[in-house]
Amino acid sequence: MRRSLSILLILISAYLSAQQTFQNVAPALGITGMDGLGHGVGWGDIDNDGDPDLGISNQEGSGFWFFRNDIDHFTNITASAGLSGLGGNKIIIAEMTGDEYNDLVLRTRSGTQYLFESNGDGTFNDITAASGIGAAAVYNIADFDNDGYTDLLSVAGSNLSILYNNGNSTFATAEVIAPLPDFWGIAVLDYDRDGFMDIYWTTYGDNPNTLLKNNGDGTFDDVTTEAGVEYTQGGHALDVSDFNNDGYVDIYVGSYSNLSCKLFKNNGDGTFDDVSVSSGTTGHHDTRTTTFADYNNDGFLDIFSSHHDFYSYSNTMLKNNGDETFTEVAPSLGISGEWIGDYFGVGWADYNLDGALDLFAAGHIDKYNLFKNTNCPGTYLMVDLKGIISNPNGIGAQVDVWNNGQLVSRNVLPNGGFHDFSDLRLHFGLDGAYSVDSINVYWPSGIVQKLGNTNADQLISITEDTVTTGINTGQLIVCPVPLTVRPNPVVHSGKVSFYQVKNGNISLSLLDAAGRQLRIIYNGYLDKGGHEIDFTVPGPRSGFYNLKVESDSQLQITKVIIQKRQ
């Protein structure tokens, strides 16, 4: 009898030790010293060491802290980075200034905003005034005109505006899209897959949500009603992702009102269906924040939400069952219960690069938590996109991973929540598969890049293929062979390959991101045919540049990344 009991206890202990849970490891890893009520969260790699760093803020607007991630511990670098004395309602970490490092955008509680350029060594330069971003408060980012640079989506007064990125650390005058009588979360997505980033926002009060279709010419149309995504009361929480792996981005709205939460399924024809009831995602009232994430590596996106009523239902994790239904599992994961929750800002990232997505949550009860995802099952693939023609982080790109006829589809989209920002690298749960058959990348530039069989359980970086810029006016001839640079990025020297469409004089020059000529690499006569020319980096700062081949009969331009010499 005693032996049977002992065996039973051993089995129970083994089961519990292998059960997937989320454990708060913030204090143990050195994420300490914060005060006030937790508010904003932002993840992103600011020094290109491969692991995501962390920014967090408090609600009072008196505290912002930045921690460098060293995998087994975090170091508070706020003061040494030049970021002391700030706040941060929204923390955005992405490449904005035309170099190789992710920068920092802060929207503060007072309405002031900042743009800090990362130097890549853990320090930042405050370039707010020189950038021309003004006082408009930034809510999200995307490349709205597909020029290869990441723009700022902002609100000034009651106007929703775009600050267009010039590619040289400055921004053009805000272009007003539409008046906003009331707003809260703002998401960016290409809902109709026409290649242009659209906008969806939720409201704080009784005004309806709005979906704006990007026409690709600087104008936007309100298509809320015809698309079927009306939500007529306040919806604080918002995120967008492809929950059913059909290749189209869906929308989830968390209720701040008497309405239930809404899951809008994208039909792929410009319309959505409300599947909240049939999918089991009606959720709870007074939802503060919500995000999509595949917490268990089964290949389907789950939905995490935090609510103000922390006594009744605290946080929820809706597990995606893979058949367009969801099941609540938060209590079993250790992230729901009394005195857990009421989070205003969250962000997902695999901070320790073990293949399991971890969660940082900031709120009013248990204020600052890094929930480590332990005993996560399955296999995974992490994909880090490097745009060349497209914007540097590949925002708006879709990546489809295929294995045995099964699709896992992900999009590079910043979170739509008021205080949320997750790592922009894509995470694919592979449900135990040891490799994938193919990876298809649909870049914002229109380039489709295909990779073959790839092993699981690794982080891979995919740099966008370069192609000829399509020019076909007057007597110009579009070259059938693309202008290419190898290697790209370039550190010391590289090779430029191109095709001369007919005998004659031709010039090859290096331009900065704004199109200003920096250096002529070659100028002279060449016969018709393929050519390859060596060039050395002339010593500009790291960043994005353009190479141009031009003659009286052809013009080709491609982007090139130049990195600092070591």
Side-chain angles (χ1 to χ4, degrees):
M1 179 69 178
R2 288 181 180 177
R3 183 178 180 184
S4 298
L5 181 59
S6 297
I7 293 174
L8 178 60
L9 291 174
I10 291 172
L11 291 174
I12 292 174
S13 177
Y15 169 77
L16 291 176
S17 64
Q19 184 179 3
Q20 185 180 10
T21 60
F22 285 83
Q23 300 173 353
N24 180 24
V25 295
L29 293 180
I31 305 176
T32 59
M34 298 80 66
D35 55 28
L37 304 175
H39 224 45
V41 178
W43 286 102
D45 184 1
I46 55 99
D47 50 12
N48 286 353
D49 64 352
D51 47 54
D53 307 298
L54 174 67
I56 50 181
S57 67
N58 66 17
Q59 177 175 300
E60 292 79 3
S62 60
F64 171 77
W65 303 271
F66 203 90
F67 291 86
R68 186 186 69 237
N69 180 5
D70 295 308
I71 302 294
D72 60 350
H73 69 280
F74 284 75
T75 302
N76 187 339
I77 62 169
T78 310
S80 62
L83 302 173
S84 298
L86 301 171
N89 254 16
K90 183 80 172 187
I91 303 167
I92 294 172
I93 302 174
E95 203 296 300
M96 307 294 304
T97 57
D99 62 17
E100 63 190 288
Y101 299 110
N102 285 325
D103 307 300
L104 173 65
V105 180
L106 286 180
R107 182 193 74 225
T108 71
R109 188 173 177 84
S110 65
T112 304
Q113 66 182 20
Y114 297 92
L115 174 57
F116 290 94
E117 179 185 37
S118 172
N119 296 314
D121 58 0
T123 66
F124 292 84
N125 300 322
D126 184 353
I127 61 170
T128 308
S131 70
I133 62 176
V138 175
Y139 280 74
N140 219 320
I141 55 174
D143 182 2
F144 292 101
D145 54 359
N146 283 351
D147 65 350
Y149 306 111
T150 304
D151 309 309
L152 305 176
L153 184 60
S154 64
V155 176
S158 62
N159 290 326
L160 181 66
S161 308
I162 293 176
L163 301 176
Y164 288 103
N165 190 336
N166 296 318
N168 59 356
S169 301
T170 68
F171 294 79
T173 303
E175 299 289 335
V176 176
I177 299 173
L180 277 177
D182 182 16
F183 64 92
W184 195 252
I186 300 178
V188 293
L189 70 162
D190 182 5
Y191 81 95
D192 52 359
R193 292 192 67 173
D194 66 351
F196 295 100
M197 294 297 286
D198 311 300
I199 301 168
Y200 184 79
W201 76 76
T202 62
T203 63
Y204 188 92
D206 294 332
N207 292 298
N209 294 353
T210 302
L211 175 63
L212 292 178
K213 174 181 167 56
N214 186 345
N215 297 315
D217 58 2
T219 66
F220 291 75
D221 291 335
D222 185 341
V223 296
T224 312
T225 301
E226 63 192 77
V229 290
E230 291 177 302
Y231 190 92
T232 57
Q233 296 182 31
H236 264 193
L238 171 66
D239 205 16
V240 294
S241 275
D242 180 4
F243 83 89
N244 57 350
N245 288 329
D246 66 351
Y248 290 91
V249 178
D250 311 295
I251 300 172
Y252 190 72
V253 180
S255 173
Y256 185 67
S257 59
N258 292 324
L259 294 179
S260 70
C261 299
K262 295 290 185 183
L263 178 59
F264 292 110
K265 174 186 171 182
N266 193 331
N267 296 316
D269 59 2
T271 68
F272 293 76
D273 285 338
D274 178 357
V275 296
S276 310
V277 174
S278 63
S279 64
T281 56
T282 53
H284 301 283
H285 301 306
D286 206 358
T287 305
R288 297 298 193 184
T289 186
T290 194
T291 49
F292 285 98
D294 182 2
Y295 81 90
N296 60 350
N297 281 346
D298 67 353
F300 291 95
L301 288 169
D302 314 293
I303 304 174
F304 173 82
S305 300
S306 187
H307 315 279
H308 184 52
D309 190 347
F310 48 90
Y311 288 111
S312 300
Y313 36 77
S314 179
N315 303 319
T316 56
M317 178 70 84
L318 297 177
K319 177 184 177 295
N320 191 331
N321 298 318
D323 58 1
E324 300 192 1
T325 68
F326 291 76
T327 302
E328 169 57 41
V329 295
S332 66
L333 295 173
I335 51 174
S336 184
E338 275 195 38
W339 302 105
I340 301 176
D342 197 22
Y343 301 133
F344 278 62
V346 298
W348 291 88
D350 181 5
Y351 83 87
N352 56 354
L353 305 182
D354 67 349
L357 283 177
D358 310 294
L359 173 68
F360 196 93
H364 286 189
I365 307 305
D366 49 337
K367 300 174 183 176
Y368 301 100
N369 300 276
L370 173 54
F371 288 110
K372 178 183 178 182
N373 188 344
T374 62
N375 296 322
C376 182
T379 51
Y380 72 96
L381 186 68
M382 291 285 289
V383 176
D384 186 13
L385 296 185
K386 304 292 185 183
I388 303 297
I389 304 297
S390 302
N391 65 84
N393 297 108
I395 295 170
Q398 177 172 317
V399 180
D400 288 350
V401 168
W402 290 90
N403 198 50
N404 293 324
Q406 297 296 313
L407 169 65
V408 180
S409 184
R410 297 287 180 265
N411 303 81
V412 183
L413 297 172
N415 297 116
F418 197 77
H419 307 289
D420 313 319
F421 197 86
S422 299
D423 188 5
L424 289 174
R425 294 179 295 189
L426 295 177
H427 172 267
F428 295 83
L430 301 180
D431 200 26
Y434 293 108
S435 64
V436 299
D437 296 332
S438 65
I439 303 172
N440 296 341
V441 184
Y442 301 88
W443 293 93
S445 62
I447 295 170
V448 179
Q449 193 168 347
K450 299 185 178 182
L451 289 76
N453 185 272
T454 303
N455 290 332
D457 291 342
Q458 63 171 323
L459 166 65
I460 65 171
S461 179
I462 301 176
T463 300
E464 183 178 14
D465 278 346
T466 55
V467 297
T468 305
T469 299
I471 298 175
N472 190 13
T473 58
Q475 298 300 311
L476 293 177
I477 301 171
V478 177
C479 182
V481 179
L483 168 66
T484 58
V485 181
R486 286 182 172 77
N488 199 359
V490 179
V491 178
H492 297 284
S493 61
K495 295 180 181 293
V496 184
S497 300
F498 60 95
Y499 188 88
Q500 174 83 319
V501 297
K502 68 178 185 178
N503 297 342
N505 290 317
I506 195 164
S507 68
L508 172 62
S509 54
L510 180 69
L511 314 177
D512 66 13
R516 294 183 290 263
Q517 182 173 287
L518 297 176
R519 180 181 180 183
I520 295 177
I521 296 173
Y522 179 87
N523 188 23
Y525 181 91
L526 288 176
D527 292 332
K528 176 182 177 180
H531 297 277
E532 184 175 77
I533 295 177
D534 294 325
F535 74 101
T536 58
V537 174
R541 56 176 288 187
S542 296
F544 287 83
Y545 294 81
N546 294 301
L547 274 168
K548 180 173 73 171
V549 171
E550 185 175 15
S551 70
D552 60 355
S553 59
Q554 74 184 84
L555 174 63
Q556 292 175 270
I557 302 174
T558 190
K559 282 188 181 179
V560 58
I561 300 176
I562 292 179
Q563 294 183 345
K564 294 178 181 177
R565 301 188 187 202
Q566 302 298 321

